[in-house]
């Protein structure tokens, strides 16, 4: 059981570039989430999904998109990256409690 | 509007002593609370939880206390160990998908 895996671990983007953060879980959880964590702050919810084909916005969705074509995968897409999106991104899945991936550290310059 | 607040960004404690981390909340609808622990360059990991029908939950060295009237919970670690040095987040689930609302975290440093 790998749990929740995220790729890449680190990425530097130029302003205006796009990228997809990958997230996969092997626990057959229906609920999945994307959070971002800025320095000195708690985690804020970007998007979540309650099952394949169903997604919804969280607290800070602007500048992001998601899809959920399978139970296992929940990629997060950044279009037109901006410096304000510099953050650490965590994916999680829920099965009684939330299990988090190791995070992706993204810098936009 | 911060619904879950951790007002102490950092705490230093001597090894063997008690660590007390505090958390306040404003939303009376919260009925379950969790504490997560986070090491650098890792994702948060679940530590301990408490339901609002209880006022205490204990798991080994970790105890969480809930004071509903004060909308306050605290995490006690006894005895503290250097390996406990991490950022601790309190969180509460809300919404139809049980999404978590997090506090801003407290960096605990346990000094040997």
């Amino acid at each position: 059981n790998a749990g929740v895996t995220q790729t890449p671990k680190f990425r530097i983007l130029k302003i205006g570039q796009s990228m997809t953060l990958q997230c996969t879980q092997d626990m057959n959880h229906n609920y999945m989430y994307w959070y971002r964590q800025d320095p000195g702050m708690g985690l804020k919810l970007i998007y979540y999904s309650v099952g394949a084909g169903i997604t919804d916005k969280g607290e800070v969705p602007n500048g992001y998109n998601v899809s959920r074509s399978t139970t296992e995968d929940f990629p997060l897409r950044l279009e037109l990256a901006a410096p304000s999106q510099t953050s650490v991104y965590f994916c999680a899945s829920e099965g009684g409690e939330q299990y988090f991936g190791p995070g992706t550290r993204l810098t936009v310059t | 509007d911060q619904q879950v607040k951790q007002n102490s960004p950092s705490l230093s404690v001597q090894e063997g002593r008690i660590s007390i981390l505090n958390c306040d909340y404003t939303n009376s609808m919260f009925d379950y609370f969790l504490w997560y622990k986070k090491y650098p360059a890792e994702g948060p990991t679940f530590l301990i939880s408490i339901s609002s029908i209880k006022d205490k939950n204990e798991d080994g060295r970790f105890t969480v206390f809930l004071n509903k009237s004060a909308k306050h919970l605290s995490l006690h670690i006894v005895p503290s160990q250097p390996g406990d040095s991490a950022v601790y987040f309190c969180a509460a689930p809300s919404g139809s998908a049980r999404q978590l609302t997090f506090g801003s975290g407290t960096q605990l440093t346990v000094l040997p």
Side-chain angles (χ1 to χ4, degrees):
Chain A
N1 243 6
V4 180
T5 57
Q6 292 183 238
T7 56
K9 283 188 169 35
F10 304 94
R11 183 73 186 267
I12 299 174
L13 279 183
K14 292 191 186 306
I15 294 170
Q17 287 185 321
S18 301
M19 75 165 293
T20 299
L21 283 68
Q22 302 292 346
C23 175
T24 300
Q25 53 96 4
D26 62 359
M27 296 173 282
N28 203 33
H29 291 160
N30 284 322
Y31 291 9
M32 294 187 74
Y33 314 84
W34 274 105
Y35 295 91
R36 60 177 284 173
Q37 186 194 8
D38 299 324
M41 306 289 286
L43 283 72
K44 291 190 184 300
L45 183 66
I46 305 171
Y47 270 95
Y48 63 95
S49 170
V50 300
I54 307 170
T55 63
D56 207 346
K57 295 177 181 179
E59 185 183 356
V60 289
N62 291 344
Y64 307 95
N65 274 302
V66 293
S67 59
R68 184 95 182 271
S69 57
T70 66
T71 298
E72 294 78 20
D73 300 306
F74 189 38
L76 177 72
R77 177 89 179 154
L78 278 72
E79 306 280 3
L80 298 174
S84 61
Q85 293 177 305
T86 294
S87 191
V88 182
Y89 292 84
F90 293 101
C91 177
S93 70
E94 205 259 14
E97 68 198 56
Q98 288 192 18
Y99 297 85
F100 286 82
T104 295
R105 183 175 294 274
L106 175 68
T107 302
V108 181
T109 62
Chain B
D1 175 31
Q2 270 189 292
Q3 297 190 67
V4 178
K5 298 179 188 178
Q6 294 176 259
N7 292 317
S8 298
S10 62
L11 174 68
S12 290
V13 169
Q14 209 67 37
E15 181 178 5
R17 306 294 289 269
I18 184 171
S19 296
I20 301 176
L21 295 92
N22 295 303
C23 180
D24 297 297
Y25 62 96
T26 57
N27 189 340
S28 302
M29 300 299 291
F30 288 150
D31 60 4
Y32 191 71
F33 300 90
L34 306 94
W35 284 92
Y36 279 82
K37 178 178 179 178
K38 184 183 178 308
Y39 291 118
E42 295 184 11
T45 54
F46 170 74
L47 184 59
I48 192 170
S49 63
I50 188 166
S51 165
S52 62
I53 63 173
K54 293 185 171 183
D55 54 17
K56 176 182 174 182
N57 189 28
E58 191 171 353
D59 183 2
R61 296 185 297 113
F62 302 91
T63 303
V64 56
F65 296 91
L66 175 62
N67 182 335
K68 288 186 288 294
S69 61
K71 295 194 179 73
H72 177 83
L73 60 154
S74 60
L75 173 68
H76 292 212
I77 306 173
V78 184
S80 302
Q81 299 173 353
D84 296 329
S85 297
V87 177
Y88 290 78
F89 293 98
C90 66
S94 61
S96 58
R98 304 196 286 270
Q99 52 266 46
L100 292 175
T101 299
F102 283 87
S104 54
T106 297
Q107 170 72 59
L108 173 67
T109 302
V110 180
L111 304 167

